[in-house]
């Protein structure tokens, strides 16, 4: 079955370009377009897409507010959200990730990365554009008034290495190659880390790592 995607951006040309890119990818289908956040929320509720691709800055309701409504911590059945943005160290991007988005990309990320992000979100994973991961999260790490909670139990050395890879924007396969372990082993470590840190996805893991100075190895 195809991954059904809703695209929201206030620029007609951007929406058209995203639709063309995604519709050209095998197993991905754009089922709707929205010009602002309010329209995106309404369409998401009626069309029930597998993934929403939301721009941050839109009229009527921005992507941050739409993300909270569709994927916030209190949402019973959240829709996977991928944020797309032009990168200018905008704190709204960071807040969107905190609000439930499963990943973010630059608008010029390219067809391959865009398709990977959509597929990752659809399967419950997340993809952060590796070109901006460290720069963005380091810029806003510690922006919250309360410090990140410590793990419920200490991370092992291997879990620390996996966490560092996530913080650098590496995918599971890349982490496995770097650490010379299998993909299933990486997934097992990720599940353990998320349990210990109380995080929901690798986006939150990356933010936690940088807020606690774990983003470099």
């Amino acid at each position: 079955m195809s991954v059904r995607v809703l695209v929201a951006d206030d620029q007609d040309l951007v929406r058209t370009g995203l639709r063309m890119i995604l519709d050209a990818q095998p197993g991905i289908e754009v089922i709707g377009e929205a010009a602002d956040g309010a329209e995106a929320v309404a369409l998401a509720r009626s069309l029930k897409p597998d993934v929403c691709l939301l721009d941050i800055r839109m009229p009527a309701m921005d992507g941050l507010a739409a993300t909270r409504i569709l994927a916030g911590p209190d949402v019973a059945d959240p829709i996977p959200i991928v944020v797309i943005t032009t990168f200018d160290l905008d704190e709204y991007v960071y807040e969107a990730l905190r609000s439930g988005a499963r990943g973010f990309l630059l608008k010029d990320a390219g067809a391959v990365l865009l398709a990977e992000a959509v597929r990752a979100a659809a399967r419950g994973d997340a993809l952060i554009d590796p070109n901006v991961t460290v720069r963005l999260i380091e810029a806003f790490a510690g922006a919250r008034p309360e410090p990140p909670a410590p793990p419920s139990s200490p991370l092992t050395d291997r879990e620390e290495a996996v966490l560092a890879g996530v913080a650098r924007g590496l995918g599971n396969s890349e982490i496995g190659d770097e650490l010379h372990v299998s993909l299933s082993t990486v997934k097992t470590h990720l599940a353990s880390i998320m349990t210990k840190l109380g995080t929901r996805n690798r986006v939150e893991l990356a933010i936690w790592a940088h807020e606690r100075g774990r983003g470099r190895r």
Side-chain angles (χ1 to χ4, degrees), residues 38-210:
E39 185 181 8
V41 170
L43 281 176
R45 286 173 168 170
S46 62
L47 298 177
K48 301 188 185 305
D50 299 311
V51 176
C52 290
L53 199 61
L54 303 181
D55 184 26
I56 284 292
R57 292 175 173 169
M58 294 184 289
M61 178 188 296
D62 64 21
L64 173 58
T67 296
R68 285 176 175 159
I69 292 171
L70 296 174
D74 298 327
V75 177
D77 189 18
I79 296 175
I81 305 291
V82 175
V83 170
I84 52 173
T85 183
T86 52
F87 187 69
D88 58 355
L89 287 180
D90 189 337
E91 68 271 18
Y92 289 123
V93 179
Y94 175 87
E95 290 301 328
L97 299 179
R98 299 293 318 174
S99 299
R102 286 189 177 166
F104 73 86
L105 294 175
L106 299 182
K107 289 182 180 179
D108 61 357
V112 173
L113 201 58
L114 182 62
E116 287 180 358
V118 167
R119 293 190 180 104
R123 65 175 180 261
D125 205 344
L127 188 149
I128 312 172
D129 193 320
N131 292 320
V132 298
T133 299
V134 174
R135 182 178 166 196
L136 175 71
I137 297 176
E138 284 187 341
F140 296 107
R144 292 181 297 158
E146 74 280 3
S152 59
S153 60
L155 301 184
T156 66
D157 289 343
R158 183 51 58 86
E159 287 171 348
E160 289 279 9
V162 171
L163 180 62
V166 172
R168 287 158 46 212
L170 301 183
N172 290 354
S173 297
E174 294 171 307
I175 294 173
D177 291 342
E178 188 173 276
L179 299 180
H180 307 291
V181 298
S182 69
L183 185 61
S184 61
T185 298
V186 174
K187 292 180 178 179
T188 297
H189 286 312
L190 281 173
S192 175
I193 297 167
M194 289 182 188
T195 298
K196 290 181 178 181
L197 303 185
T199 54
R200 296 175 300 170
N201 53 53
R202 66 196 306 122
V203 176
E204 293 184 357
L205 285 182
I207 292 172
W208 188 97
H210 281 280

